[in-house]
Amino acid sequence: MLFAAVQIVLGLLSLFLSGVLAAPPTSTSGSSDDQVVLGGTFKKDREYENGELPPTKHTLGWIDPRLKGGRLIDYTSDDLGEPLNIIISAESDPYILTEQGMQTYVKSIGFNRECLGLHYGHIHEADLGDGLGRKEEQFLGRQHYFPIMGTCWESVRGGHHFRAWRQNGTDANSGAWFIGASEEMDSSKNHMIVEDGYNRGRNYIVDRATEGSHWKGMWWKANVEWREGLLERGKRGVNHGIEQDGRVAILTIYRL
Ligand SMILES: *[C@@H]1O[C@H](CO)[C@@H](O)[C@H](O)[C@H]1NC(C)=O
């Protein structure tokens, strides 16, 4: 009873804080001064650069979104986005490829759905080249620190989070999850990404997945394949102007 009351108070508090702190429009929060907005020249008009290579065909368990006009950067605005730096291959445990299985799996590696199931902040979109165009994020996971306060605490405190989309439109129906992972500062910084936060967010998940994890009697362990060429290195087109190394971790997660 007391816990429930405490949880509600904390929930409201975090809601209030994120509301207040998110008050300035995203034009000030979503970008830092040194980002380069390339406008119309974003991709089509230039060569593959900074380690990016032309789209690859015949990959097992996922399909390169760029083959059908998608990209491995999501959309936070029309130009900028965050790197989709992890792919959970469809060769993984079929349970994880479902939304419910994904929810269970991410708990095993220390994440939960966001605070009280409420969406705060900006909804990102991604185009996975599966014929569905830009679609809204289908899953948002946040690191949780305390079982009582759960994800509410992380919402205020900052930490690791990720957004996920499933590649399941008819043009590229692989069933793989594409994930944009990052590490955030606390809410007082309006959910800015920490320095090196894209690489760090990705590596945090990869480390936990490859170590192996379990939840309620289910055990998993992932293999990782590091892919270069899907993304360019650096910060061009990247939200908050934070550099990333351009590597994508392809995880195949096996049920033990
Ligand atoms: C694709 O996956 C998403 C996320 O799990 C789900 O909401 C949607 O219904 C799926 N669409 C199809 C056509 O299966």
Side-chain angles (χ1 to χ4, degrees):
M1 193 59 203
L2 181 61
F3 276 0
V6 167
Q7 230 173 338
I8 287 166
V9 169
L10 282 167
L12 290 173
L13 184 67
S14 96
L15 200 59
F16 171 75
L17 283 174
S18 45
V20 167
L21 296 163
T26 42
S27 55
T28 53
S29 68
S31 46
S32 76
D33 318 345
D34 57 346
Q35 79 194 6
V36 186
V37 179
L38 292 165
T41 66
F42 177 71
K43 177 84 228 166
K44 305 218 160 37
D45 311 340
R46 60 180 177 78
E47 302 295 313
Y48 293 102
E49 286 174 341
N50 302 318
E52 187 181 0
L53 299 169
T56 342
K57 288 183 188 152
H58 311 303
T59 46
L60 188 63
W62 56 283
I63 295 164
D64 191 333
R66 301 171 305 158
L67 289 167
K68 290 262 172 79
R71 65 181 204 182
L72 281 104
I73 291 188
D74 75 11
Y75 290 87
T76 53
S77 66
D78 277 343
D79 298 306
L80 302 176
E82 305 197 343
L84 299 177
N85 45 20
I86 299 174
I87 298 172
I88 297 183
S89 146
E91 297 288 292
S92 300
D93 174 10
Y95 179 56
I96 291 179
L97 303 177
T98 68
E99 219 162 312
Q100 213 212 321
M102 178 73 164
Q103 274 174 45
T104 308
Y105 176 71
V106 300
K107 283 180 190 156
S108 80
I109 56 167
F111 287 81
N112 216 328
R113 292 208 97 156
E114 75 183 320
C115 181
L116 301 175
L118 288 166
H119 255 305
Y120 76 104
H122 197 64
I123 304 235
H124 294 199
E125 296 176 342
D127 184 346
L128 302 183
D130 60 2
L132 296 173
R134 282 164 61 161
K135 57 186 175 191
E136 293 191 346
E137 65 202 39
Q138 289 159 328
F139 195 97
L140 191 144
R142 302 199 154 267
Q143 184 183 22
H144 52 89
Y145 292 111
F146 296 106
I148 296 168
M149 296 186 259
T151 51
C152 295
W153 181 244
E154 193 279 337
S155 298
V156 177
R157 159 73 182 63
H160 288 275
H161 78 285
F162 70 87
R163 299 165 200 271
W165 291 261
R166 251 185 107 205
Q167 188 176 47
N168 62 357
T170 47
D171 283 1
N173 195 0
S174 71
W177 286 104
F178 283 69
I179 291 178
S182 57
E183 186 180 352
E184 281 181 345
M185 293 176 198
D186 63 57
S187 297
S188 64
K189 304 290 191 305
N190 207 3
H191 296 285
M192 284 286 289
I193 305 298
V194 302
E195 171 129 3
D196 203 32
Y198 296 117
N199 295 335
R200 290 167 57 133
R202 175 198 61 203
N203 296 348
Y204 180 85
I205 291 180
V206 170
D207 287 349
R208 265 140 207 85
T210 52
E211 264 164 29
S213 62
H214 61 98
W215 186 263
K216 296 204 167 139
M218 287 176 275
W219 294 70
W220 294 277
K221 196 166 167 43
N223 281 353
V224 61
E225 179 205 342
W226 291 99
R227 272 259 170 179
E228 296 186 8
L230 292 169
L231 274 169
E232 66 173 275
R233 289 185 298 278
K235 61 185 177 186
R236 177 154 59 182
V238 175
N239 198 24
H240 304 292
I242 289 173
E243 304 246 352
Q244 44 85 41
D245 63 15
R247 298 198 305 158
V248 176
I250 318 272
L251 294 177
T252 308
I253 303 168
Y254 299 102
R255 179 91 72 95
L256 303 179

mmCIF file of all heavy atoms in Angstrom, residues 40-72:
data_model
loop_
_atom_site.group_PDB
_atom_site.id
_atom_site.type_symbol
_atom_site.label_atom_id
_atom_site.label_comp_id
_atom_site.label_asym_id
_atom_site.label_seq_id
_atom_site.Cartn_x
_atom_site.Cartn_y
_atom_site.Cartn_z
ATOM 1 N N GLY A 40 18.534 19.229 -48.107
ATOM 2 C CA GLY A 40 18.183 18.345 -49.217
ATOM 3 C C GLY A 40 19.318 17.442 -49.670
ATOM 4 O O GLY A 40 19.080 16.418 -50.292
ATOM 5 N N THR A 41 20.542 17.777 -49.341
ATOM 6 C CA THR A 41 21.663 16.981 -49.829
ATOM 7 C C THR A 41 21.943 15.797 -48.932
ATOM 8 O O THR A 41 23.000 15.209 -49.007
ATOM 9 C CB THR A 41 22.942 17.834 -49.900
ATOM 10 O OG1 THR A 41 23.309 18.204 -48.576
ATOM 11 C CG2 THR A 41 22.754 19.061 -50.748
ATOM 12 N N PHE A 42 20.983 15.463 -48.039
ATOM 13 C CA PHE A 42 21.320 14.512 -46.993
ATOM 14 C C PHE A 42 22.022 13.263 -47.497
ATOM 15 O O PHE A 42 23.074 12.920 -47.061
ATOM 16 C CB PHE A 42 20.103 14.113 -46.158
ATOM 17 C CG PHE A 42 20.490 13.073 -45.145
ATOM 18 C CD1 PHE A 42 21.283 13.435 -44.071
ATOM 19 C CD2 PHE A 42 20.150 11.742 -45.311
ATOM 20 C CE1 PHE A 42 21.702 12.484 -43.160
ATOM 21 C CE2 PHE A 42 20.578 10.796 -44.399
ATOM 22 C CZ PHE A 42 21.345 11.174 -43.332
ATOM 23 N N LYS A 43 21.459 12.544 -48.451
ATOM 24 C CA LYS A 43 22.095 11.273 -48.802
ATOM 25 C C LYS A 43 22.242 11.098 -50.307
ATOM 26 O O LYS A 43 23.294 10.782 -50.807
ATOM 27 C CB LYS A 43 21.265 10.130 -48.219
ATOM 28 C CG LYS A 43 21.754 8.754 -48.567
ATOM 29 C CD LYS A 43 22.833 8.299 -47.638
ATOM 30 C CE LYS A 43 23.997 7.742 -48.408
ATOM 31 N NZ LYS A 43 25.165 7.580 -47.616
ATOM 32 N N LYS A 44 21.172 11.349 -51.007
ATOM 33 C CA LYS A 44 21.091 10.883 -52.383
ATOM 34 C C LYS A 44 22.162 11.503 -53.281
ATOM 35 O O LYS A 44 22.611 10.881 -54.223
ATOM 36 C CB LYS A 44 19.700 11.195 -52.940
ATOM 37 C CG LYS A 44 18.609 10.600 -52.050
ATOM 38 C CD LYS A 44 17.441 10.050 -52.821
ATOM 39 C CE LYS A 44 16.595 9.063 -52.042
ATOM 40 N NZ LYS A 44 16.414 9.360 -50.624
ATOM 41 N N ASP A 45 22.549 12.732 -52.953
ATOM 42 C CA ASP A 45 23.419 13.453 -53.883
ATOM 43 C C ASP A 45 24.906 13.215 -53.655
ATOM 44 O O ASP A 45 25.725 13.917 -54.197
ATOM 45 C CB ASP A 45 23.175 14.968 -53.771
ATOM 46 C CG ASP A 45 21.706 15.288 -53.844
ATOM 47 O OD1 ASP A 45 20.958 14.431 -54.337
ATOM 48 O OD2 ASP A 45 21.318 16.369 -53.398
ATOM 49 N N ARG A 46 25.253 12.293 -52.816
ATOM 50 C CA ARG A 46 26.695 12.175 -52.596
ATOM 51 C C ARG A 46 27.144 10.725 -52.561
ATOM 52 O O ARG A 46 26.346 9.807 -52.497
ATOM 53 C CB ARG A 46 27.090 12.909 -51.312
ATOM 54 C CG ARG A 46 26.395 12.364 -50.094
ATOM 55 C CD ARG A 46 26.825 13.130 -48.868
ATOM 56 N NE ARG A 46 26.098 12.648 -47.724
ATOM 57 C CZ ARG A 46 26.373 11.532 -47.093
ATOM 58 N NH1 ARG A 46 27.333 10.750 -47.491
ATOM 59 N NH2 ARG A 46 25.642 11.175 -46.051
ATOM 60 N N GLU A 47 28.454 10.558 -52.620
ATOM 61 C CA GLU A 47 29.052 9.231 -52.640
ATOM 62 C C GLU A 47 28.978 8.613 -51.249
ATOM 63 O O GLU A 47 28.745 9.292 -50.269
ATOM 64 C CB GLU A 47 30.528 9.360 -53.026
ATOM 65 C CG GLU A 47 30.781 10.033 -54.354
ATOM 66 C CD GLU A 47 30.228 9.214 -55.510
ATOM 67 O OE1 GLU A 47 30.480 8.000 -55.536
ATOM 68 O OE2 GLU A 47 29.526 9.788 -56.362
ATOM 69 N N TYR A 48 29.222 7.327 -51.204
ATOM 70 C CA TYR A 48 29.369 6.681 -49.902
ATOM 71 C C TYR A 48 30.695 7.119 -49.316
ATOM 72 O O TYR A 48 31.723 7.045 -49.990
ATOM 73 C CB TYR A 48 29.320 5.170 -50.068
ATOM 74 C CG TYR A 48 27.959 4.713 -50.521
ATOM 75 C CD1 TYR A 48 27.716 4.368 -51.846
ATOM 76 C CD2 TYR A 48 26.898 4.675 -49.622
ATOM 77 C CE1 TYR A 48 26.456 3.985 -52.265
ATOM 78 C CE2 TYR A 48 25.633 4.292 -50.037
ATOM 79 C CZ TYR A 48 25.413 3.947 -51.347
ATOM 80 O OH TYR A 48 24.161 3.578 -51.748
ATOM 81 N N GLU A 49 30.657 7.587 -48.105
ATOM 82 C CA GLU A 49 31.848 8.169 -47.500
ATOM 83 C C GLU A 49 32.014 7.684 -46.069
ATOM 84 O O GLU A 49 31.083 7.139 -45.472
ATOM 85 C CB GLU A 49 31.711 9.698 -47.470
ATOM 86 C CG GLU A 49 31.881 10.324 -48.835
ATOM 87 C CD GLU A 49 31.590 11.817 -48.829
ATOM 88 O OE1 GLU A 49 30.935 12.308 -47.892
ATOM 89 O OE2 GLU A 49 32.034 12.475 -49.769
ATOM 90 N N ASN A 50 33.174 7.963 -45.526
ATOM 91 C CA ASN A 50 33.455 7.707 -44.112
ATOM 92 C C ASN A 50 33.134 6.274 -43.707
ATOM 93 O O ASN A 50 32.544 6.028 -42.652
ATOM 94 C CB ASN A 50 32.672 8.682 -43.218
ATOM 95 C CG ASN A 50 33.013 10.117 -43.547
ATOM 96 O OD1 ASN A 50 34.178 10.448 -43.774
ATOM 97 N ND2 ASN A 50 32.006 10.968 -43.604
ATOM 98 N N GLY A 51 33.507 5.358 -44.560
ATOM 99 C CA GLY A 51 33.357 3.947 -44.209
ATOM 100 C C GLY A 51 32.056 3.325 -44.652
ATOM 101 O O GLY A 51 31.898 2.111 -44.591
ATOM 102 N N GLU A 52 31.089 4.148 -45.089
ATOM 103 C CA GLU A 52 29.837 3.552 -45.569
ATOM 104 C C GLU A 52 30.071 2.919 -46.939
ATOM 105 O O GLU A 52 30.812 3.451 -47.765
ATOM 106 C CB GLU A 52 28.725 4.605 -45.666
ATOM 107 C CG GLU A 52 27.386 3.958 -45.996
ATOM 108 C CD GLU A 52 26.222 4.940 -46.127
ATOM 109 O OE1 GLU A 52 26.435 6.147 -45.964
ATOM 110 O OE2 GLU A 52 25.103 4.455 -46.406
ATOM 111 N N LEU A 53 29.452 1.786 -47.179
ATOM 112 C CA LEU A 53 29.569 1.074 -48.457
ATOM 113 C C LEU A 53 28.178 0.928 -49.071
ATOM 114 O O LEU A 53 27.177 1.051 -48.365
ATOM 115 C CB LEU A 53 30.172 -0.318 -48.219
ATOM 116 C CG LEU A 53 31.577 -0.339 -47.607
ATOM 117 C CD1 LEU A 53 31.961 -1.751 -47.180
ATOM 118 C CD2 LEU A 53 32.601 0.230 -48.597
ATOM 119 N N PRO A 54 28.110 0.656 -50.375
ATOM 120 C CA PRO A 54 26.782 0.455 -50.988
ATOM 121 C C PRO A 54 26.025 -0.700 -50.314
ATOM 122 O O PRO A 54 26.649 -1.555 -49.679
ATOM 123 C CB PRO A 54 27.123 0.108 -52.443
ATOM 124 C CG PRO A 54 28.493 0.642 -52.667
ATOM 125 C CD PRO A 54 29.196 0.554 -51.351
ATOM 126 N N PRO A 55 24.702 -0.728 -50.467
ATOM 127 C CA PRO A 55 23.890 -1.753 -49.794
ATOM 128 C C PRO A 55 24.342 -3.178 -50.128
ATOM 129 O O PRO A 55 24.787 -3.439 -51.239
ATOM 130 C CB PRO A 55 22.481 -1.517 -50.330
ATOM 131 C CG PRO A 55 22.476 -0.126 -50.857
ATOM 132 C CD PRO A 55 23.885 0.215 -51.227
ATOM 133 N N THR A 56 24.219 -4.051 -49.160
ATOM 134 C CA THR A 56 24.590 -5.461 -49.330
ATOM 135 C C THR A 56 23.336 -6.294 -49.550
ATOM 136 O O THR A 56 22.348 -6.135 -48.836
ATOM 137 C CB THR A 56 25.196 -6.036 -48.025
ATOM 138 O OG1 THR A 56 25.593 -4.969 -47.193
ATOM 139 C CG2 THR A 56 26.297 -7.008 -48.304
ATOM 140 N N LYS A 57 23.419 -7.211 -50.497
ATOM 141 C CA LYS A 57 22.302 -8.147 -50.717
ATOM 142 C C LYS A 57 22.584 -9.464 -49.995
ATOM 143 O O LYS A 57 23.715 -9.737 -49.626
ATOM 144 C CB LYS A 57 22.143 -8.422 -52.206
ATOM 145 C CG LYS A 57 21.578 -7.229 -52.950
ATOM 146 C CD LYS A 57 21.357 -7.579 -54.418
ATOM 147 C CE LYS A 57 20.970 -6.311 -55.177
ATOM 148 N NZ LYS A 57 21.357 -6.375 -56.592
ATOM 149 N N HIS A 58 21.560 -10.276 -49.872
ATOM 150 C CA HIS A 58 21.692 -11.650 -49.380
ATOM 151 C C HIS A 58 22.330 -11.748 -48.000
ATOM 152 O O HIS A 58 23.297 -12.462 -47.802
ATOM 153 C CB HIS A 58 22.499 -12.509 -50.371
ATOM 154 C CG HIS A 58 22.013 -12.388 -51.785
ATOM 155 N ND1 HIS A 58 20.714 -12.664 -52.146
ATOM 156 C CD2 HIS A 58 22.649 -11.980 -52.913
ATOM 157 C CE1 HIS A 58 20.561 -12.439 -53.442
ATOM 158 N NE2 HIS A 58 21.716 -12.022 -53.921
ATOM 159 N N THR A 59 21.822 -11.010 -47.060
ATOM 160 C CA THR A 59 22.278 -11.164 -45.684
ATOM 161 C C THR A 59 21.293 -12.094 -44.981
ATOM 162 O O THR A 59 20.096 -12.091 -45.287
ATOM 163 C CB THR A 59 22.322 -9.799 -44.984
ATOM 164 O OG1 THR A 59 21.114 -9.096 -45.256
ATOM 165 C CG2 THR A 59 23.502 -8.965 -45.479
ATOM 166 N N LEU A 60 21.799 -12.854 -44.048
ATOM 167 C CA LEU A 60 20.966 -13.867 -43.395
ATOM 168 C C LEU A 60 20.314 -13.290 -42.127
ATOM 169 O O LEU A 60 21.010 -12.807 -41.244
ATOM 170 C CB LEU A 60 21.859 -15.068 -43.019
ATOM 171 C CG LEU A 60 21.148 -16.317 -42.507
ATOM 172 C CD1 LEU A 60 20.240 -16.910 -43.587
ATOM 173 C CD2 LEU A 60 22.174 -17.352 -42.041
ATOM 174 N N GLY A 61 18.974 -13.310 -42.086
ATOM 175 C CA GLY A 61 18.285 -12.900 -40.862
ATOM 176 C C GLY A 61 17.938 -11.429 -40.779
ATOM 177 O O GLY A 61 17.320 -10.987 -39.804
ATOM 178 N N TRP A 62 18.296 -10.648 -41.759
ATOM 179 C CA TRP A 62 17.925 -9.231 -41.825
ATOM 180 C C TRP A 62 18.177 -8.768 -43.251
ATOM 181 O O TRP A 62 18.886 -9.432 -44.001
ATOM 182 C CB TRP A 62 18.751 -8.382 -40.851
ATOM 183 C CG TRP A 62 20.238 -8.507 -41.039
ATOM 184 C CD1 TRP A 62 21.014 -9.554 -40.621
ATOM 185 C CD2 TRP A 62 21.108 -7.605 -41.734
ATOM 186 N NE1 TRP A 62 22.319 -9.342 -41.003
ATOM 187 C CE2 TRP A 62 22.400 -8.154 -41.680
ATOM 188 C CE3 TRP A 62 20.919 -6.385 -42.389
ATOM 189 C CZ2 TRP A 62 23.507 -7.518 -42.268
ATOM 190 C CZ3 TRP A 62 22.022 -5.755 -42.960
ATOM 191 C CH2 TRP A 62 23.302 -6.318 -42.891
ATOM 192 N N ILE A 63 17.585 -7.651 -43.626
ATOM 193 C CA ILE A 63 17.737 -7.133 -44.988
ATOM 194 C C ILE A 63 18.216 -5.691 -44.892
ATOM 195 O O ILE A 63 17.675 -4.902 -44.098
ATOM 196 C CB ILE A 63 16.396 -7.244 -45.744
ATOM 197 C CG1 ILE A 63 16.024 -8.733 -45.925
ATOM 198 C CG2 ILE A 63 16.455 -6.532 -47.096
ATOM 199 C CD1 ILE A 63 14.583 -8.987 -46.308
ATOM 200 N N ASP A 64 19.230 -5.374 -45.655
ATOM 201 C CA ASP A 64 19.774 -4.015 -45.637
ATOM 202 C C ASP A 64 18.677 -3.016 -46.040
ATOM 203 O O ASP A 64 18.200 -3.059 -47.185
ATOM 204 C CB ASP A 64 20.961 -3.942 -46.617
ATOM 205 C CG ASP A 64 21.754 -2.657 -46.467
ATOM 206 O OD1 ASP A 64 21.171 -1.630 -46.038
ATOM 207 O OD2 ASP A 64 22.959 -2.662 -46.808
ATOM 208 N N PRO A 65 18.259 -2.150 -45.132
ATOM 209 C CA PRO A 65 17.156 -1.218 -45.425
ATOM 210 C C PRO A 65 17.441 -0.318 -46.627
ATOM 211 O O PRO A 65 16.517 0.129 -47.306
ATOM 212 C CB PRO A 65 17.053 -0.357 -44.156
ATOM 213 C CG PRO A 65 17.655 -1.179 -43.077
ATOM 214 C CD PRO A 65 18.754 -1.977 -43.741
ATOM 215 N N ARG A 66 18.712 -0.107 -46.917
ATOM 216 C CA ARG A 66 19.065 0.819 -47.994
ATOM 217 C C ARG A 66 18.752 0.264 -49.375
ATOM 218 O O ARG A 66 18.697 1.012 -50.349
ATOM 219 C CB ARG A 66 20.547 1.189 -47.872
ATOM 220 C CG ARG A 66 20.874 1.855 -46.518
ATOM 221 C CD ARG A 66 22.358 2.022 -46.327
ATOM 222 N NE ARG A 66 23.029 0.742 -46.472
ATOM 223 C CZ ARG A 66 24.324 0.581 -46.784
ATOM 224 N NH1 ARG A 66 25.083 1.639 -46.947
ATOM 225 N NH2 ARG A 66 24.845 -0.618 -46.893
ATOM 226 N N LEU A 67 18.556 -1.054 -49.463
ATOM 227 C CA LEU A 67 18.201 -1.651 -50.762
ATOM 228 C C LEU A 67 16.883 -1.092 -51.283
ATOM 229 O O LEU A 67 16.658 -1.022 -52.490
ATOM 230 C CB LEU A 67 18.090 -3.179 -50.626
ATOM 231 C CG LEU A 67 19.410 -3.936 -50.425
ATOM 232 C CD1 LEU A 67 19.138 -5.366 -49.993
ATOM 233 C CD2 LEU A 67 20.237 -3.913 -51.710
ATOM 234 N N LYS A 68 15.991 -0.715 -50.360
ATOM 235 C CA LYS A 68 14.678 -0.197 -50.778
ATOM 236 C C LYS A 68 14.417 1.175 -50.154
ATOM 237 O O LYS A 68 13.352 1.441 -49.620
ATOM 238 C CB LYS A 68 13.566 -1.169 -50.363
ATOM 239 C CG LYS A 68 13.544 -2.479 -51.144
ATOM 240 C CD LYS A 68 12.512 -2.428 -52.282
ATOM 241 C CE LYS A 68 12.588 -3.620 -53.215
ATOM 242 N NZ LYS A 68 11.941 -4.803 -52.669
ATOM 243 N N GLY A 69 15.450 2.013 -50.188
ATOM 244 C CA GLY A 69 15.226 3.416 -49.817
ATOM 245 C C GLY A 69 15.222 3.735 -48.338
ATOM 246 O O GLY A 69 14.948 4.874 -47.959
ATOM 247 N N GLY A 70 15.504 2.752 -47.476
ATOM 248 C CA GLY A 70 15.571 3.034 -46.047
ATOM 249 C C GLY A 70 16.968 3.468 -45.646
ATOM 250 O O GLY A 70 17.835 3.696 -46.496
ATOM 251 N N ARG A 71 17.182 3.589 -44.359
ATOM 252 C CA ARG A 71 18.518 3.956 -43.875
ATOM 253 C C ARG A 71 18.697 3.483 -42.441
ATOM 254 O O ARG A 71 17.724 3.181 -41.751
ATOM 255 C CB ARG A 71 18.740 5.460 -43.989
ATOM 256 C CG ARG A 71 17.817 6.286 -43.084
ATOM 257 C CD ARG A 71 18.059 7.774 -43.258
ATOM 258 N NE ARG A 71 17.640 8.511 -42.056
ATOM 259 C CZ ARG A 71 17.687 9.829 -41.928
ATOM 260 N NH1 ARG A 71 18.104 10.581 -42.924
ATOM 261 N NH2 ARG A 71 17.304 10.411 -40.807
ATOM 262 N N LEU A 72 19.977 3.448 -42.020
ATOM 263 C CA LEU A 72 20.271 2.982 -40.664
ATOM 264 C C LEU A 72 20.467 4.138 -39.691
ATOM 265 O O LEU A 72 21.183 4.022 -38.703
ATOM 266 C CB LEU A 72 21.483 2.045 -40.661
ATOM 267 C CG LEU A 72 21.035 0.649 -41.132
ATOM 268 C CD1 LEU A 72 21.467 0.392 -42.541
ATOM 269 C CD2 LEU A 72 21.453 -0.424 -40.180
#
